[in-house]
mmCIF file with all atom_site columns, all heavy atoms in Angstrom:
data_model
loop_
_atom_site.group_PDB
_atom_site.id
_atom_site.type_symbol
_atom_site.label_atom_id
_atom_site.label_alt_id
_atom_site.label_comp_id
_atom_site.label_asym_id
_atom_site.label_entity_id
_atom_site.label_seq_id
_atom_site.pdbx_PDB_ins_code
_atom_site.Cartn_x
_atom_site.Cartn_y
_atom_site.Cartn_z
_atom_site.occupancy
_atom_site.B_iso_or_equiv
_atom_site.pdbx_formal_charge
_atom_site.auth_seq_id
_atom_site.auth_comp_id
_atom_site.auth_asym_id
_atom_site.auth_atom_id
_atom_site.pdbx_PDB_model_num
ATOM 1   N N   . THR U 1 23  ? 17.663 23.903 -39.761 1.00 0.00 ? 23  THR U N   1
ATOM 2   C CA  . THR U 1 23  ? 17.888 25.320 -40.024 1.00 0.00 ? 23  THR U CA  1
ATOM 3   C C   . THR U 1 23  ? 16.949 25.791 -41.122 1.00 0.00 ? 23  THR U C   1
ATOM 4   O O   . THR U 1 23  ? 16.298 24.983 -41.803 1.00 0.00 ? 23  THR U O   1
ATOM 5   C CB  . THR U 1 23  ? 19.338 25.588 -40.477 1.00 0.00 ? 23  THR U CB  1
ATOM 6   O OG1 . THR U 1 23  ? 19.573 24.903 -41.703 1.00 0.00 ? 23  THR U OG1 1
ATOM 7   C CG2 . THR U 1 23  ? 20.332 25.118 -39.431 1.00 0.00 ? 23  THR U CG2 1
ATOM 8   N N   . ASP U 1 25  ? 17.089 28.605 -44.499 1.00 0.00 ? 25  ASP U N   1
ATOM 9   C CA  . ASP U 1 25  ? 17.897 29.472 -45.350 1.00 0.00 ? 25  ASP U CA  1
ATOM 10  C C   . ASP U 1 25  ? 16.954 30.205 -46.301 1.00 0.00 ? 25  ASP U C   1
ATOM 11  O O   . ASP U 1 25  ? 15.979 29.614 -46.784 1.00 0.00 ? 25  ASP U O   1
ATOM 12  C CB  . ASP U 1 25  ? 18.930 28.670 -46.144 1.00 0.00 ? 25  ASP U CB  1
ATOM 13  C CG  . ASP U 1 25  ? 20.026 28.103 -45.242 1.00 0.00 ? 25  ASP U CG  1
ATOM 14  O OD1 . ASP U 1 25  ? 20.683 28.894 -44.553 1.00 0.00 ? 25  ASP U OD1 1
ATOM 15  O OD2 . ASP U 1 25  ? 20.203 26.870 -45.223 1.00 0.00 ? 25  ASP U OD2 1
ATOM 16  N N   . HIS U 1 48  ? 33.223 28.391 -42.086 1.00 0.00 ? 48  HIS U N   1
ATOM 17  C CA  . HIS U 1 48  ? 33.190 29.235 -43.284 1.00 0.00 ? 48  HIS U CA  1
ATOM 18  C C   . HIS U 1 48  ? 33.173 30.727 -42.957 1.00 0.00 ? 48  HIS U C   1
ATOM 19  O O   . HIS U 1 48  ? 32.532 31.510 -43.662 1.00 0.00 ? 48  HIS U O   1
ATOM 20  C CB  . HIS U 1 48  ? 31.986 28.887 -44.163 1.00 0.00 ? 48  HIS U CB  1
ATOM 21  C CG  . HIS U 1 48  ? 31.912 27.458 -44.595 1.00 0.00 ? 48  HIS U CG  1
ATOM 22  N ND1 . HIS U 1 48  ? 32.963 26.816 -45.212 1.00 0.00 ? 48  HIS U ND1 1
ATOM 23  C CD2 . HIS U 1 48  ? 30.917 26.536 -44.477 1.00 0.00 ? 48  HIS U CD2 1
ATOM 24  C CE1 . HIS U 1 48  ? 32.610 25.565 -45.484 1.00 0.00 ? 48  HIS U CE1 1
ATOM 25  N NE2 . HIS U 1 48  ? 31.384 25.364 -45.043 1.00 0.00 ? 48  HIS U NE2 1
ATOM 26  N N   . TYR U 1 91  ? 16.978 20.368 -47.796 1.00 0.00 ? 91  TYR U N   1
ATOM 27  C CA  . TYR U 1 91  ? 18.323 19.914 -48.141 1.00 0.00 ? 91  TYR U CA  1
ATOM 28  C C   . TYR U 1 91  ? 18.900 19.191 -46.934 1.00 0.00 ? 91  TYR U C   1
ATOM 29  O O   . TYR U 1 91  ? 18.997 19.771 -45.851 1.00 0.00 ? 91  TYR U O   1
ATOM 30  C CB  . TYR U 1 91  ? 19.201 21.096 -48.540 1.00 0.00 ? 91  TYR U CB  1
ATOM 31  C CG  . TYR U 1 91  ? 18.664 21.838 -49.749 1.00 0.00 ? 91  TYR U CG  1
ATOM 32  C CD1 . TYR U 1 91  ? 17.683 22.823 -49.599 1.00 0.00 ? 91  TYR U CD1 1
ATOM 33  C CD2 . TYR U 1 91  ? 19.094 21.517 -51.024 1.00 0.00 ? 91  TYR U CD2 1
ATOM 34  C CE1 . TYR U 1 91  ? 17.157 23.468 -50.707 1.00 0.00 ? 91  TYR U CE1 1
ATOM 35  C CE2 . TYR U 1 91  ? 18.579 22.160 -52.142 1.00 0.00 ? 91  TYR U CE2 1
ATOM 36  C CZ  . TYR U 1 91  ? 17.611 23.135 -51.974 1.00 0.00 ? 91  TYR U CZ  1
ATOM 37  O OH  . TYR U 1 91  ? 17.084 23.773 -53.073 1.00 0.00 ? 91  TYR U OH  1
ATOM 38  N N   . GLY U 1 92  ? 19.285 17.932 -47.137 1.00 0.00 ? 92  GLY U N   1
ATOM 39  C CA  . GLY U 1 92  ? 19.711 17.137 -45.986 1.00 0.00 ? 92  GLY U CA  1
ATOM 40  C C   . GLY U 1 92  ? 20.875 16.209 -46.241 1.00 0.00 ? 92  GLY U C   1
ATOM 41  O O   . GLY U 1 92  ? 20.984 15.176 -45.572 1.00 0.00 ? 92  GLY U O   1
ATOM 42  N N   . ALA U 1 93  ? 21.749 16.531 -47.200 1.00 0.00 ? 93  ALA U N   1
ATOM 43  C CA  . ALA U 1 93  ? 22.920 15.678 -47.436 1.00 0.00 ? 93  ALA U CA  1
ATOM 44  C C   . ALA U 1 93  ? 23.723 15.541 -46.144 1.00 0.00 ? 93  ALA U C   1
ATOM 45  O O   . ALA U 1 93  ? 23.926 16.526 -45.425 1.00 0.00 ? 93  ALA U O   1
ATOM 46  C CB  . ALA U 1 93  ? 23.790 16.270 -48.543 1.00 0.00 ? 93  ALA U CB  1
ATOM 47  N N   . PRO U 1 94  ? 24.195 14.336 -45.806 1.00 0.00 ? 94  PRO U N   1
ATOM 48  C CA  . PRO U 1 94  ? 24.852 14.118 -44.506 1.00 0.00 ? 94  PRO U CA  1
ATOM 49  C C   . PRO U 1 94  ? 26.033 15.026 -44.225 1.00 0.00 ? 94  PRO U C   1
ATOM 50  O O   . PRO U 1 94  ? 26.275 15.407 -43.083 1.00 0.00 ? 94  PRO U O   1
ATOM 51  C CB  . PRO U 1 94  ? 25.285 12.643 -44.587 1.00 0.00 ? 94  PRO U CB  1
ATOM 52  C CG  . PRO U 1 94  ? 24.334 12.019 -45.552 1.00 0.00 ? 94  PRO U CG  1
ATOM 53  C CD  . PRO U 1 94  ? 24.033 13.081 -46.560 1.00 0.00 ? 94  PRO U CD  1
ATOM 54  N N   . GLU U 1 95  ? 26.798 15.403 -45.251 1.00 0.00 ? 95  GLU U N   1
ATOM 55  C CA  . GLU U 1 95  ? 28.019 16.185 -45.024 1.00 0.00 ? 95  GLU U CA  1
ATOM 56  C C   . GLU U 1 95  ? 27.866 17.655 -45.393 1.00 0.00 ? 95  GLU U C   1
ATOM 57  O O   . GLU U 1 95  ? 28.858 18.352 -45.573 1.00 0.00 ? 95  GLU U O   1
ATOM 58  C CB  . GLU U 1 95  ? 29.171 15.565 -45.837 1.00 0.00 ? 95  GLU U CB  1
ATOM 59  C CG  . GLU U 1 95  ? 29.408 14.095 -45.583 1.00 0.00 ? 95  GLU U CG  1
ATOM 60  C CD  . GLU U 1 95  ? 29.756 13.805 -44.136 1.00 0.00 ? 95  GLU U CD  1
ATOM 61  O OE1 . GLU U 1 95  ? 30.384 14.667 -43.486 1.00 0.00 ? 95  GLU U OE1 1
ATOM 62  O OE2 . GLU U 1 95  ? 29.394 12.716 -43.651 1.00 0.00 ? 95  GLU U OE2 1
ATOM 63  N N   . ARG U 1 96  ? 26.644 18.161 -45.509 1.00 0.00 ? 96  ARG U N   1
ATOM 64  C CA  . ARG U 1 96  ? 26.460 19.541 -45.966 1.00 0.00 ? 96  ARG U CA  1
ATOM 65  C C   . ARG U 1 96  ? 26.921 20.565 -44.931 1.00 0.00 ? 96  ARG U C   1
ATOM 66  O O   . ARG U 1 96  ? 27.191 21.711 -45.267 1.00 0.00 ? 96  ARG U O   1
ATOM 67  C CB  . ARG U 1 96  ? 25.004 19.790 -46.342 1.00 0.00 ? 96  ARG U CB  1
ATOM 68  C CG  . ARG U 1 96  ? 23.992 19.655 -45.216 1.00 0.00 ? 96  ARG U CG  1
ATOM 69  C CD  . ARG U 1 96  ? 22.576 19.949 -45.697 1.00 0.00 ? 96  ARG U CD  1
ATOM 70  N NE  . ARG U 1 96  ? 22.485 21.279 -46.276 1.00 0.00 ? 96  ARG U NE  1
ATOM 71  C CZ  . ARG U 1 96  ? 22.260 22.372 -45.552 1.00 0.00 ? 96  ARG U CZ  1
ATOM 72  N NH1 . ARG U 1 96  ? 22.120 22.298 -44.230 1.00 0.00 ? 96  ARG U NH1 1
ATOM 73  N NH2 . ARG U 1 96  ? 22.180 23.536 -46.139 1.00 0.00 ? 96  ARG U NH2 1
ATOM 74  N N   . ASP U 1 97  ? 26.994 20.167 -43.668 1.00 0.00 ? 97  ASP U N   1
ATOM 75  C CA  . ASP U 1 97  ? 27.459 21.067 -42.616 1.00 0.00 ? 97  ASP U CA  1
ATOM 76  C C   . ASP U 1 97  ? 28.507 20.318 -41.790 1.00 0.00 ? 97  ASP U C   1
ATOM 77  O O   . ASP U 1 97  ? 28.242 19.194 -41.343 1.00 0.00 ? 97  ASP U O   1
ATOM 78  C CB  . ASP U 1 97  ? 26.280 21.494 -41.720 1.00 0.00 ? 97  ASP U CB  1
ATOM 79  C CG  . ASP U 1 97  ? 26.627 22.629 -40.781 1.00 0.00 ? 97  ASP U CG  1
ATOM 80  O OD1 . ASP U 1 97  ? 27.630 22.509 -40.036 1.00 0.00 ? 97  ASP U OD1 1
ATOM 81  O OD2 . ASP U 1 97  ? 25.906 23.649 -40.769 1.00 0.00 ? 97  ASP U OD2 1
ATOM 82  N N   . PRO U 1 98  ? 29.705 20.885 -41.600 1.00 0.00 ? 98  PRO U N   1
ATOM 83  C CA  . PRO U 1 98  ? 30.765 20.156 -40.890 1.00 0.00 ? 98  PRO U CA  1
ATOM 84  C C   . PRO U 1 98  ? 30.529 20.006 -39.393 1.00 0.00 ? 98  PRO U C   1
ATOM 85  O O   . PRO U 1 98  ? 31.224 19.232 -38.730 1.00 0.00 ? 98  PRO U O   1
ATOM 86  C CB  . PRO U 1 98  ? 32.010 21.013 -41.159 1.00 0.00 ? 98  PRO U CB  1
ATOM 87  C CG  . PRO U 1 98  ? 31.484 22.388 -41.372 1.00 0.00 ? 98  PRO U CG  1
ATOM 88  C CD  . PRO U 1 98  ? 30.160 22.210 -42.074 1.00 0.00 ? 98  PRO U CD  1
ATOM 89  N N   . MET U 1 100 ? 27.564 19.067 -37.671 1.00 0.00 ? 100 MET U N   1
ATOM 90  C CA  . MET U 1 100 ? 26.728 17.937 -37.307 1.00 0.00 ? 100 MET U CA  1
ATOM 91  C C   . MET U 1 100 ? 25.748 17.699 -38.445 1.00 0.00 ? 100 MET U C   1
ATOM 92  O O   . MET U 1 100 ? 25.790 18.389 -39.468 1.00 0.00 ? 100 MET U O   1
ATOM 93  C CB  . MET U 1 100 ? 25.963 18.206 -35.994 1.00 0.00 ? 100 MET U CB  1
ATOM 94  C CG  . MET U 1 100 ? 24.999 19.395 -36.095 1.00 0.00 ? 100 MET U CG  1
ATOM 95  S SD  . MET U 1 100 ? 24.086 19.738 -34.574 1.00 0.00 ? 100 MET U SD  1
ATOM 96  C CE  . MET U 1 100 ? 23.163 18.221 -34.374 1.00 0.00 ? 100 MET U CE  1
ATOM 97  N N   . ARG U 1 101 ? 24.869 16.731 -38.293 1.00 0.00 ? 101 ARG U N   1
ATOM 98  C CA  . ARG U 1 101 ? 23.833 16.495 -39.308 1.00 0.00 ? 101 ARG U CA  1
ATOM 99  C C   . ARG U 1 101 ? 22.823 17.638 -39.225 1.00 0.00 ? 101 ARG U C   1
ATOM 100 O O   . ARG U 1 101 ? 22.144 17.816 -38.209 1.00 0.00 ? 101 ARG U O   1
ATOM 101 C CB  . ARG U 1 101 ? 23.136 15.155 -39.067 1.00 0.00 ? 101 ARG U CB  1
ATOM 102 C CG  . ARG U 1 101 ? 22.081 14.813 -40.130 1.00 0.00 ? 101 ARG U CG  1
ATOM 103 C CD  . ARG U 1 101 ? 22.727 14.488 -41.451 1.00 0.00 ? 101 ARG U CD  1
ATOM 104 N NE  . ARG U 1 101 ? 21.762 14.304 -42.522 1.00 0.00 ? 101 ARG U NE  1
ATOM 105 C CZ  . ARG U 1 101 ? 21.186 13.138 -42.805 1.00 0.00 ? 101 ARG U CZ  1
ATOM 106 N NH1 . ARG U 1 101 ? 21.454 12.054 -42.069 1.00 0.00 ? 101 ARG U NH1 1
ATOM 107 N NH2 . ARG U 1 101 ? 20.350 13.043 -43.828 1.00 0.00 ? 101 ARG U NH2 1
ATOM 108 N N   . VAL U 1 102 ? 22.729 18.401 -40.291 1.00 0.00 ? 102 VAL U N   1
ATOM 109 C CA  . VAL U 1 102 ? 21.848 19.571 -40.330 1.00 0.00 ? 102 VAL U CA  1
ATOM 110 C C   . VAL U 1 102 ? 20.959 19.479 -41.563 1.00 0.00 ? 102 VAL U C   1
ATOM 111 O O   . VAL U 1 102 ? 21.445 19.343 -42.689 1.00 0.00 ? 102 VAL U O   1
ATOM 112 C CB  . VAL U 1 102 ? 22.645 20.892 -40.363 1.00 0.00 ? 102 VAL U CB  1
ATOM 113 C CG1 . VAL U 1 102 ? 21.690 22.090 -40.489 1.00 0.00 ? 102 VAL U CG1 1
ATOM 114 C CG2 . VAL U 1 102 ? 23.500 21.032 -39.110 1.00 0.00 ? 102 VAL U CG2 1
ATOM 115 N N   . VAL U 1 103 ? 19.675 19.562 -41.340 1.00 0.00 ? 103 VAL U N   1
ATOM 116 C CA  . VAL U 1 103 ? 18.700 19.602 -42.424 1.00 0.00 ? 103 VAL U CA  1
ATOM 117 C C   . VAL U 1 103 ? 18.219 21.041 -42.561 1.00 0.00 ? 103 VAL U C   1
ATOM 118 O O   . VAL U 1 103 ? 17.812 21.670 -41.576 1.00 0.00 ? 103 VAL U O   1
ATOM 119 C CB  . VAL U 1 103 ? 17.510 18.667 -42.155 1.00 0.00 ? 103 VAL U CB  1
ATOM 120 C CG1 . VAL U 1 103 ? 16.430 18.846 -43.215 1.00 0.00 ? 103 VAL U CG1 1
ATOM 121 C CG2 . VAL U 1 103 ? 17.975 17.219 -42.106 1.00 0.00 ? 103 VAL U CG2 1
ATOM 122 N N   . SER U 1 104 ? 18.274 21.579 -43.772 1.00 0.00 ? 104 SER U N   1
ATOM 123 C CA  . SER U 1 104 ? 17.835 22.948 -43.997 1.00 0.00 ? 104 SER U CA  1
ATOM 124 C C   . SER U 1 104 ? 16.549 22.978 -44.814 1.00 0.00 ? 104 SER U C   1
ATOM 125 O O   . SER U 1 104 ? 16.431 22.277 -45.825 1.00 0.00 ? 104 SER U O   1
ATOM 126 C CB  . SER U 1 104 ? 18.911 23.752 -44.726 1.00 0.00 ? 104 SER U CB  1
ATOM 127 O OG  . SER U 1 104 ? 18.435 25.069 -45.006 1.00 0.00 ? 104 SER U OG  1
ATOM 128 N N   . ALA U 1 138 ? 29.139 29.614 -49.119 1.00 0.00 ? 138 ALA U N   1
ATOM 129 C CA  . ALA U 1 138 ? 29.407 28.632 -48.073 1.00 0.00 ? 138 ALA U CA  1
ATOM 130 C C   . ALA U 1 138 ? 28.398 27.486 -48.140 1.00 0.00 ? 138 ALA U C   1
ATOM 131 O O   . ALA U 1 138 ? 27.323 27.600 -48.728 1.00 0.00 ? 138 ALA U O   1
ATOM 132 C CB  . ALA U 1 138 ? 29.355 29.302 -46.704 1.00 0.00 ? 138 ALA U CB  1
ATOM 133 N N   . PHE U 1 139 ? 28.774 26.379 -47.495 1.00 0.00 ? 139 PHE U N   1
ATOM 134 C CA  . PHE U 1 139 ? 27.917 25.190 -47.406 1.00 0.00 ? 139 PHE U CA  1
ATOM 135 C C   . PHE U 1 139 ? 27.479 24.770 -48.817 1.00 0.00 ? 139 PHE U C   1
ATOM 136 O O   . PHE U 1 139 ? 28.277 24.791 -49.737 1.00 0.00 ? 139 PHE U O   1
ATOM 137 C CB  . PHE U 1 139 ? 26.721 25.465 -46.489 1.00 0.00 ? 139 PHE U CB  1
ATOM 138 C CG  . PHE U 1 139 ? 27.089 25.913 -45.113 1.00 0.00 ? 139 PHE U CG  1
ATOM 139 C CD1 . PHE U 1 139 ? 26.900 27.244 -44.719 1.00 0.00 ? 139 PHE U CD1 1
ATOM 140 C CD2 . PHE U 1 139 ? 27.647 25.046 -44.187 1.00 0.00 ? 139 PHE U CD2 1
ATOM 141 C CE1 . PHE U 1 139 ? 27.253 27.675 -43.449 1.00 0.00 ? 139 PHE U CE1 1
ATOM 142 C CE2 . PHE U 1 139 ? 27.997 25.460 -42.914 1.00 0.00 ? 139 PHE U CE2 1
ATOM 143 C CZ  . PHE U 1 139 ? 27.795 26.788 -42.550 1.00 0.00 ? 139 PHE U CZ  1
ATOM 144 N N   . ASP U 1 140 ? 26.209 24.400 -48.957 1.00 0.00 ? 140 ASP U N   1
ATOM 145 C CA  . ASP U 1 140 ? 25.651 24.069 -50.272 1.00 0.00 ? 140 ASP U CA  1
ATOM 146 C C   . ASP U 1 140 ? 24.725 25.174 -50.754 1.00 0.00 ? 140 ASP U C   1
ATOM 147 O O   . ASP U 1 140 ? 23.794 24.944 -51.513 1.00 0.00 ? 140 ASP U O   1
ATOM 148 C CB  . ASP U 1 140 ? 24.899 22.735 -50.215 1.00 0.00 ? 140 ASP U CB  1
ATOM 149 C CG  . ASP U 1 140 ? 23.788 22.732 -49.165 1.00 0.00 ? 140 ASP U CG  1
ATOM 150 O OD1 . ASP U 1 140 ? 23.691 23.709 -48.392 1.00 0.00 ? 140 ASP U OD1 1
ATOM 151 O OD2 . ASP U 1 140 ? 23.032 21.746 -49.110 1.00 0.00 ? 140 ASP U OD2 1
ATOM 152 N N   . HIS U 1 141 ? 25.007 26.409 -50.308 1.00 0.00 ? 141 HIS U N   1
ATOM 153 C CA  . HIS U 1 141 ? 24.113 27.511 -50.622 1.00 0.00 ? 141 HIS U CA  1
ATOM 154 C C   . HIS U 1 141 ? 24.111 27.871 -52.105 1.00 0.00 ? 141 HIS U C   1
ATOM 155 O O   . HIS U 1 141 ? 23.145 28.457 -52.600 1.00 0.00 ? 141 HIS U O   1
ATOM 156 C CB  . HIS U 1 141 ? 24.462 28.729 -49.770 1.00 0.00 ? 141 HIS U CB  1
ATOM 157 C CG  . HIS U 1 141 ? 24.099 28.554 -48.338 1.00 0.00 ? 141 HIS U CG  1
ATOM 158 N ND1 . HIS U 1 141 ? 24.160 29.567 -47.399 1.00 0.00 ? 141 HIS U ND1 1
ATOM 159 C CD2 . HIS U 1 141 ? 23.642 27.468 -47.660 1.00 0.00 ? 141 HIS U CD2 1
ATOM 160 C CE1 . HIS U 1 141 ? 23.778 29.114 -46.226 1.00 0.00 ? 141 HIS U CE1 1
ATOM 161 N NE2 . HIS U 1 141 ? 23.465 27.837 -46.353 1.00 0.00 ? 141 HIS U NE2 1
ATOM 162 N N   . ILE U 1 144 ? 21.337 25.739 -53.390 1.00 0.00 ? 144 ILE U N   1
ATOM 163 C CA  . ILE U 1 144 ? 20.045 26.258 -52.941 1.00 0.00 ? 144 ILE U CA  1
ATOM 164 C C   . ILE U 1 144 ? 19.665 27.499 -53.737 1.00 0.00 ? 144 ILE U C   1
ATOM 165 O O   . ILE U 1 144 ? 18.520 27.654 -54.184 1.00 0.00 ? 144 ILE U O   1
ATOM 166 C CB  . ILE U 1 144 ? 20.085 26.576 -51.433 1.00 0.00 ? 144 ILE U CB  1
ATOM 167 C CG1 . ILE U 1 144 ? 20.338 25.303 -50.626 1.00 0.00 ? 144 ILE U CG1 1
ATOM 168 C CG2 . ILE U 1 144 ? 18.788 27.241 -50.983 1.00 0.00 ? 144 ILE U CG2 1
ATOM 169 C CD1 . ILE U 1 144 ? 20.531 25.544 -49.135 1.00 0.00 ? 144 ILE U CD1 1
#
Side-chain angles (χ1 to χ4, degrees):
T23 63
D25 291 303
H48 303 307
Y91 299 84
E95 306 300 328
R96 63 179 303 274
D97 191 307
M100 62 180 298
R101 183 70 186 272
V102 177
V103 173
S104 177
F139 304 107
D140 57 353
H141 289 188
I144 297 174

